[in-house]
Every structure is written in C-alpha cells, then in structure tokens.
C-alpha cells in the first residue's frame, strides 16, 4: 500500500509541475499580443491565476485518466510515469500548436482549422519544407525532453515533499481567485480582466451579472451604457486614416430599420408604401444581413464589419466610422427605437458620442411604441434646423414581436390572433401565422409611409438619402426543416432582407446581384460624406452599386458564424468548434468538398482588421 501511495504522491507532484509548465505556455498567448496597453496590475494577477487554474484542469487529464488508474492497478512506476509523460506531451503539444494557430488566425483550434488541414487545397496553404519538418521534430523532441525532465524531478522530490493537501488547496485557491476576479470584472467592466480572458484557449469563466441585478447590486441598464476606460485597440479600424473631401452640400440621411423583416413581404400587397417608394429608388433584391440576429445585424449595418469584432470594439470604445464622421461634419444624429437601445447595448456600442440620444420610446405595447417613435420623428422634423443636416435612425419592432390587437388583424386572413409557438411543427400550414406576421409588417409599412410622405411634403427628398432595410430575416418554415423565427440558421429566410436605397439623382430600378449589410456604411461614407479611402479600408463590404462577387460572405458573431457562398452553400462554424455544411435549403452536405485554400482566404479576410 505504501508503494501505491508513493506512486500517487510522485504522480501528483508531476501533475503540479505540469500545471506550472502549461501555465507558462498559456502566458505566452498574451505576451505575444500586439499591444498590452489594456493590462494593469489586477489584470496580470487575474491572468496568472487563470493560467494556473486552466493549466491545472488540462494537466489533470493525463493524471486522472492514465496515471492514477495504472498506479491503483499496481503497474510498475516506470509504466505509470511513461503513460503520464506521454499524456502530458500530447496536451503540451496541442496547446503549443494552438498558440501558433491563434497567432495566425486569432482563434483557437476548431473544426475550421481541421478542415484547413484536411480539405482539398490544403497543400496550397501549408507547404512543409524539409527544414520545417526538422524544426517541428526539434520542437517535439524538446517537449518530450521537458516532460521527461519533470518526471525525473517528481521522482526525486515526490517522496519527500508532502504536497498533496497543500497542492490541492493551491489549485483550489487560484481557481477561486480567477473566477472571483472575473465575476467582479464582468459586473464592473474591468477591461484588463475581460479582454485577457479571450487569449486563454477554451476558457469560459463565470459571470453573475443577472444574479447581481436581481439582488439589486448592479443596474443592468446603467451597466450597458458604461464605457470601458482603458485605451488602446486590438483592431485597426479604419486600416488607414480617413481622407475626406467634404461635399459642397451635405445630404440628410434617414435609415428606417424593420426588425425581423422577411424579404417575401416586400410586395405591393403587404408593403404598399415601401414598395411604391422602392420604384423611385435602387432596390437591392438579393441583399443579405451581417447576421441572423439583431445584435450582429445592426452592428454590421453601422460599422461595416462583423460582430465577430464586437468585444474588441467594446473594450477599445471604438465607434462606427459612419457615426463619428457624421458628428465631425456637424450632423444632428438621433435615434427613434421601439425596443430599448440598452439591450443589446447599441447606445454604447454605436452612439456613445451622440448627446441627448433617445434610448427608449414610451408605450405600453410594441404597437404603441412603433406609433410613438413615428410621431417623435415627425415632431422633430417639424422643429429641425433647416440649415443643419440630420441623420435619423428609426427602428420598428412589430414584425419581431408579432403582436397586434384583434381589431388590427383584418388585412390578411386567415390570421392567428396571437403567436402560439406551441403549435409550430414541420407539418402545419404556416399561412395563419404568416398572415399574423404580414399584418404586423403591413402596419409598420403604414408608419413608414407617414415618414416618406412627410419627407415628400417638405420637399426634402431633393437633399435626403433614405435607406429602408431589416436587421435580419424571419423564417416561416420556408426550408421545410421546422425552423421558425431567426437565430437558428443562416439560410436566406433568416439572413436575407429587403434593401431600398434612395438618394437624389439615383437611377431607380432593381439590382439583382448580392449586396450585404457591410456595404451600407461604406456607401454612405464615400457617396454622401466624401470619404476617399477605398472600401477595404473602411469595412468588409463594397459600394452597394458594385456588382462584383461577395462570395464567402460572413454572418454571425465571435462564437457562432458561417460563410455563405454565392450558390447559397452555408459553411457553419458552431460554438463547439465543429463545422457543418448545408445547401441553401438547409440540407446537410456531409461529403461537401470544402476547398481549404478558399476557406483560408475567407478566414484571413475575416481577421484582417486585427492588428
């Protein structure tokens, strides 16, 4: 029994030494960052504690799965040590390789990386010369040597040092310290802690903001408006300083956003006012949002980049170039939201520099708020300074809520009286539900019609740009896969939205090529505000009038995202890191020949705004 205890004691010492070694590897992730301006003393304490606790977690795998069973089965000490050494070599190699992957792609090893290594065209990306193979061999030999040396040290001190209780308490202590600091940082927006967390692979520390809000310790709305105080950005946005030639006269800009707007409702019957206006404008019939949810859709619309960059923008207090330039050129900027701009925190993320911003709109129901925001805009239009240009963003919510009183459901029948989600299934007739939704869209169209009519009556269309679009789509089982709503897949019903773009002198008509939300800010910056930089400096998009290909269009956020090809194929990266490929109708393509070279190019474009 004493021999078994000695083996376990030796193995535990080896585990502690491996934890420290892994922690040093994790430290290197942050030390290789392009800038460490955001780090402070508290951030370093947190990161070191997190590296140790995270190292303890992964170093425990070989100890618990290989060494301990072998020791309990009374295997020779050398066999036990060999098994654990081999396990630690694998773990160490994985995270050293992952460090190179993270440095190259700005994300950790996942299904995309596996597909890059195994897909057709991989040899065009990764060209391994004999010297590189030799270098890899030296790295591996070095890892094996270090792990073997740790075993030698553990053999020498394992029998003398009584580290079992102390070591356990130390691991528990640094884990509680790291988790506690992250909980505090999330509730107080401490940037050094929150941003450094992203460098650790597969690390998801605790947050308790919802609990703290229920207890009354923090105000969620106030927190959503609070900006980080640290300086320095991990992204280059724009990629070069703006070059601006101010136009002779500045045009007003009105952007009308419709939450969850299904592109099939853009018809004379459902949206008579918007459809009629589209006949005077450029109508982009194949437009795709930057996401299948509101956060990513609106972020991409205003910034020109995917919400994959959301955290980086938030940590650095970066505002959209569009909003910054509007304010610099003297625009009156105002928003008219139906749903609050504090959740998601658009007030902070997009309009933090705007004074007296409308963050909420009064009203007991969504319908009341949609009507009220329209009245607010029309009232401000009456009072506006005729000399000073204005930018207005109206954001309607009825099609998202799918909620109307019974007396307003007469236009499209048969219609459900309310959205009964318990009835939804793949075999049901979607018509009554879709008619309820269409009645909501028809109601919003009447409100948008009031806005358009007011602009016409005041003769403002001669010097006003008007854009009407949605943040994302809304599916009604068009793919016959029992998908309803949004945030579930990246097919056209959930990502495709109408896009109507009017400006004085535009050539009205349909544009039947793909455009994206990333094109919007670029188009307004260049066409309306006189920015001279090429589109690639400003966004991931192009000019709306540019009909060249938008293949490998990226949608989603930092954890869940997809690339949409020109033929509608969807290459989806899921939260767990695996990749699943679908055709445009959401049929899974298990044997899809994913081209590694094209995927690599798409990932590089995705990451190109990182420094």
């Amino acid at each position: 029994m004493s021999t078994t205890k000695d083996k376990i004691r030796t193995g535990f010492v080896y585990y502690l030494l491996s934890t420290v070694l892994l922690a040093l590897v994790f430290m290197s992730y942050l030390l290789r960052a392009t800038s460490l301006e955001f780090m402070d003393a508290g951030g370093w304490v947190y990161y070191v504690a997190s590296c140790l606790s995270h190292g303890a977690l992964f170093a425990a795998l070989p100890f618990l799965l290989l060494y301990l069973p072998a020791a309990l089965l009374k295997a020779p000490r050398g066999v036990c040590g060999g098994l654990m050494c081999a396990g630690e070599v694998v773990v160490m190699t994985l995270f050293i390789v992952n460090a190179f992957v993270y440095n190259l792609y700005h994300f950790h090893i996942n299904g995309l990386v596996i597909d890059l290594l195994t897909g057709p065209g991989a040899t065009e990306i990764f060209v391994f010369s004999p010297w590189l193979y030799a270098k890899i061999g030296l790295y591996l030999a070095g890892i094996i040597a270090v792990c073997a040396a740790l075993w030698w040290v553990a053999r020498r001190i394992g029998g003398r040092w009584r580290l079992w209780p102390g070591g356990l308490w130390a691991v528990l202590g640094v884990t509680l310290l790291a988790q506690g600091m992250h909980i505090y940082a999330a509730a107080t927006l401490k940037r050094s802690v929150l941003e450094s967390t992203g460098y650790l692979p597969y690390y998801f520390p605790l947050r308790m903001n919802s609990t703290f809000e229920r207890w009354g310790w923090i105000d969620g709305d106030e927190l959503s408006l609070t900006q980080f105080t640290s300086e320095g950005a991990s992204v280059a946005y724009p990629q070069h300083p703006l070059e601006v030639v101010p136009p002779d006269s500045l045009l007003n800009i009105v952007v009308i956003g419709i939450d969850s707007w299904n592109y099939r409702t853009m018809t004379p019957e459902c949206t008579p006012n918007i459809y009629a206006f589209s006949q005077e404008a450029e109508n982009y019939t194949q437009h795709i949002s930057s996401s299948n949810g509101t956060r990513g859709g609106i972020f991409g619309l205003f910034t020109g980049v995917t919400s994959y960059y959301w955290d980086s923008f938030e940590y650095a207090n970066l505002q959209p170039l569009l909003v910054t330039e509007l304010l610099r050129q003297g625009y009156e900027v105002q928003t008219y939201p139906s749903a609050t701009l504090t959740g998601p925190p658009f007030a902070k993320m997009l309009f933090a520099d705007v004074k007296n911003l409308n963050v909420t709109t009064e009203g007991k129901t969504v319908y009341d708020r949609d009507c009220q925001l329209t009245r607010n805009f029309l009232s401000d239009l009456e009072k506006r300074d005729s000399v000073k240009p204005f930018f207005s963003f109206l954001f309607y919510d009825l099609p998202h809520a799918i909620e109307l009183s019974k007396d307003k459901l007469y236009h499209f029948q048969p219609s459900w009286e309310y959205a009964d989600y318990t009835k939804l299934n793949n075999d049901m007739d979607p018509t009554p539900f879709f008619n309820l939704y269409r009645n909501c869209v028809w109601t919003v169209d009447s409100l948008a019609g009031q806005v358009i009519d007011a602009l016409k009556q005041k003769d403002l269309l001669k010097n006003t740009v008007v854009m009407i679009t949605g943040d994302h789509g809304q599916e009604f089982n068009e793919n016959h896969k029992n998908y309803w709503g949004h945030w579930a897949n990246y097919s056209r019903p959930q990502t495709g939205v109408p896009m109507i773009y009017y400006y004085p002198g535009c050539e009205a008509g349909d544009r039947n090529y793909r455009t994206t939300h990333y094109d919007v800010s670029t188009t307004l910056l260049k066409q309306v505000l006189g920015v001279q930089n090429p589109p690639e400096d400003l966004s991931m998009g192009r000019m709306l009038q540019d009909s060249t290909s938008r293949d490998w269009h990226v949608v989603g956020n930092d954890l869940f995202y997809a690339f949409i090809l020109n033929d509608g194929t969807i290459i989806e990266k899921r939260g767990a890191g695996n990749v699943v490929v679908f055709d445009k109708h959401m049929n899974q393509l298990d044997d899809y020949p994913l081209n590694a070279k094209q995927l690599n190019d798409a990932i590089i474009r995705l990451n190109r705004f990182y420094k």
Side-chain angles (χ1 to χ4, degrees):
M1 181 61 69
S2 61
T3 303
T4 300
K5 285 183 177 180
D6 287 342
K7 289 179 187 176
I8 293 174
R9 188 181 296 117
T10 300
F12 186 73
V13 170
Y14 185 52
Y15 158 69
L16 293 178
L17 294 173
S18 300
T19 293
V20 174
L21 185 60
L22 259 181
L24 293 175
V25 173
F26 291 147
M27 284 292 297
S28 71
Y29 284 62
L30 181 60
L31 295 175
R32 296 173 70 177
T34 55
S35 171
L36 293 175
E37 295 177 17
F38 62 90
M39 290 298 286
D40 57 17
W44 283 113
V45 170
Y46 163 78
Y47 194 73
V48 170
S50 295
C51 289
L52 287 168
S53 65
H54 207 44
L57 173 65
F58 285 99
L61 296 177
F63 177 66
L64 295 175
L65 299 178
L66 299 174
Y67 186 91
L68 199 57
L72 293 174
L73 291 172
K74 302 185 182 302
R77 190 188 300 267
V79 172
C80 296
L83 287 172
M84 190 166 179
C85 247
E88 296 297 353
V89 166
V90 171
V91 171
M92 203 71 60
T93 302
L94 170 66
F95 286 111
I96 289 175
V97 171
N98 183 71
F100 289 103
V101 171
Y102 187 81
N103 189 56
L104 179 62
Y105 293 120
H106 223 274
F107 55 69
H108 304 291
I109 290 175
N110 56 36
L112 286 179
V113 177
I114 303 303
D115 284 314
L116 284 175
L117 290 168
T118 60
T123 54
E124 298 178 39
I125 308 168
F126 307 104
V127 180
F128 296 133
S129 67
W131 289 110
L132 186 56
Y133 279 114
K135 189 174 182 180
I136 293 172
L138 288 174
Y139 267 113
L140 185 58
I143 295 170
I144 294 172
V146 169
C147 289
L150 290 185
W151 174 249
W152 183 86
V153 173
R155 286 284 307 273
R156 295 298 178 276
I157 65 177
R160 297 195 299 269
W161 285 17
R162 302 200 173 267
L163 296 177
W164 181 267
L168 280 179
W169 282 113
V171 170
L172 180 61
V174 295
T175 300
L176 291 176
L177 175 63
Q179 295 297 327
M181 291 187 71
H182 190 272
I183 290 170
Y184 173 79
T188 58
L189 298 185
K190 184 173 178 59
R191 181 187 176 189
S192 59
V193 170
L194 297 179
E195 186 164 358
S196 62
T197 297
Y199 287 88
L200 278 172
Y202 321 117
Y203 186 54
F204 306 102
L206 297 175
R207 293 172 179 256
M208 293 184 65
N209 286 18
S210 298
T211 302
F212 290 163
E213 190 171 1
R214 284 198 304 272
W215 292 348
W217 293 4
I218 62 174
D219 185 324
D221 289 339
E222 182 179 333
L223 188 67
S224 71
L225 294 172
T226 304
Q227 292 181 278
F228 288 92
T229 55
S230 301
E231 296 182 356
S234 60
V235 294
Y237 174 82
Q239 297 207 321
H240 298 92
L242 290 188
E243 300 176 11
V244 183
V245 178
D248 295 333
S249 59
L250 294 171
L251 300 175
N252 307 309
I253 304 172
V254 176
V255 177
I256 299 176
I258 300 175
D259 201 330
S260 308
W261 192 8
N262 185 294
Y263 66 90
R264 292 193 294 131
T265 64
M266 176 57 184
T267 63
E269 296 78 24
C270 191
T271 52
N273 294 289
I274 296 175
Y275 185 87
F277 184 67
S278 74
Q279 305 306 296
E280 308 171 39
E282 295 176 357
N283 181 27
Y284 294 91
T285 64
Q286 302 298 315
H287 192 80
I288 306 180
S289 174
S290 47
S291 185
N292 58 358
T294 297
R295 191 178 90 149
I298 297 299
F299 185 83
L301 188 76
F302 276 88
T303 65
V305 300
T306 169
S307 60
Y308 179 81
Y309 289 94
W310 178 285
D311 287 345
S312 297
F313 271 61
E314 184 176 13
Y315 295 147
N317 297 326
L318 281 176
Q319 295 293 289
L321 295 174
L322 175 61
V323 176
T324 301
E325 190 59 25
L326 286 168
L327 294 173
R328 194 188 71 81
Q329 295 196 24
Y331 275 75
E332 291 182 352
V333 177
Q334 191 53 275
T335 60
Y336 302 86
S338 180
T340 177
L341 293 185
T342 60
F346 294 132
K348 176 177 72 172
M349 295 296 296
L350 307 179
F351 304 105
D353 297 331
V354 178
K355 296 179 180 179
N356 303 314
L357 184 75
N358 294 330
V359 176
T360 60
T361 299
E362 293 184 357
K364 293 182 179 179
T365 67
V366 177
Y367 173 76
D368 293 338
R369 292 194 295 271
D370 280 9
C371 291
Q372 185 60 49
L373 78 85
T374 307
R375 288 192 291 269
N376 291 346
F377 170 78
L378 295 178
S379 175
D380 287 351
L381 196 63
E382 290 291 337
K383 297 179 293 187
R384 77 172 189 87
D385 184 345
S386 59
V387 176
K388 197 170 185 180
F390 67 91
F391 173 93
S392 298
F393 175 51
L394 295 78
F395 195 20
Y396 292 102
D397 198 42
L398 263 175
H400 174 259
I402 317 183
E403 174 187 288
L404 273 177
S405 60
K406 186 176 179 179
D407 62 310
K408 295 180 176 64
L409 298 176
Y410 57 85
H411 198 77
F412 296 102
Q413 288 291 333
S415 171
W416 282 359
E417 293 184 9
Y418 64 94
D420 187 350
Y421 295 100
T422 64
K423 292 183 178 179
L424 300 180
N425 63 75
N426 199 44
D427 298 322
M428 66 167 282
D429 178 7
T431 302
F433 185 27
F434 189 49
N435 280 343
L436 169 60
Y437 171 83
R438 290 207 294 166
N439 281 316
C440 294
V441 174
W442 185 82
T443 303
V444 167
D445 175 79
S446 68
L447 299 175
Q450 294 178 37
V451 173
I452 295 168
D453 288 344
L455 294 173
K456 288 182 176 179
Q457 290 168 11
K458 290 185 169 297
D459 198 26
L460 286 174
L461 290 185
K462 66 183 180 183
N463 64 341
T464 301
V465 170
V466 181
M467 185 172 287
I468 309 175
T469 190
D471 55 346
H472 54 79
Q474 185 79 354
E475 185 168 358
F476 290 86
N477 203 26
E478 284 92 336
N479 291 309
H480 306 291
K481 296 291 187 294
N482 202 28
Y483 285 113
W484 305 84
H486 58 276
W487 199 245
N489 65 60
Y490 299 101
S491 65
R492 192 181 176 206
Q494 296 197 27
T495 58
V497 290
M499 169 59 73
I500 296 94
Y501 179 46
Y502 169 88
Y503 56 92
C506 68
E507 186 177 341
D510 291 348
R511 307 293 192 272
N512 298 317
Y513 52 86
R514 175 183 285 186
T515 53
T516 77
H517 267 17
Y518 304 131
D519 304 336
V520 170
S521 62
T522 296
T523 300
L524 294 177
L525 282 165
K526 293 180 67 65
Q527 190 167 331
V528 181
L529 300 177
V531 172
Q532 303 299 300
N533 299 57
E536 55 267 23
D537 266 8
L538 315 172
S539 76
M540 298 171 66
R542 302 195 174 117
M543 297 290 288
L544 282 169
Q545 295 85 1
D546 184 345
S547 61
T548 55
S549 171
R550 271 89 162 167
D551 202 7
W552 291 84
H553 169 61
V554 64
V555 290
N557 55 44
D558 56 339
L559 195 57
F560 302 89
Y561 56 88
F563 298 101
I564 304 178
L565 308 190
N566 278 339
D567 63 1
T569 299
I570 302 163
I571 300 168
E572 179 181 343
K573 181 264 176 185
R574 296 186 169 175
N578 58 309
V579 175
V580 184
V581 182
F582 300 92
D583 68 13
K584 63 182 179 180
H585 299 299
M586 290 305 297
N587 297 304
Q588 188 166 331
L589 306 175
D590 294 327
D591 299 319
Y592 185 81
L594 190 58
N595 187 291
K597 175 66 166 60
Q598 294 176 352
L599 177 59
N600 183 69
D601 292 344
I603 294 172
I604 290 173
R605 289 195 299 272
L606 172 66
N607 285 289
R608 68 186 180 84
F609 280 95
Y610 280 113
K611 290 181 178 177

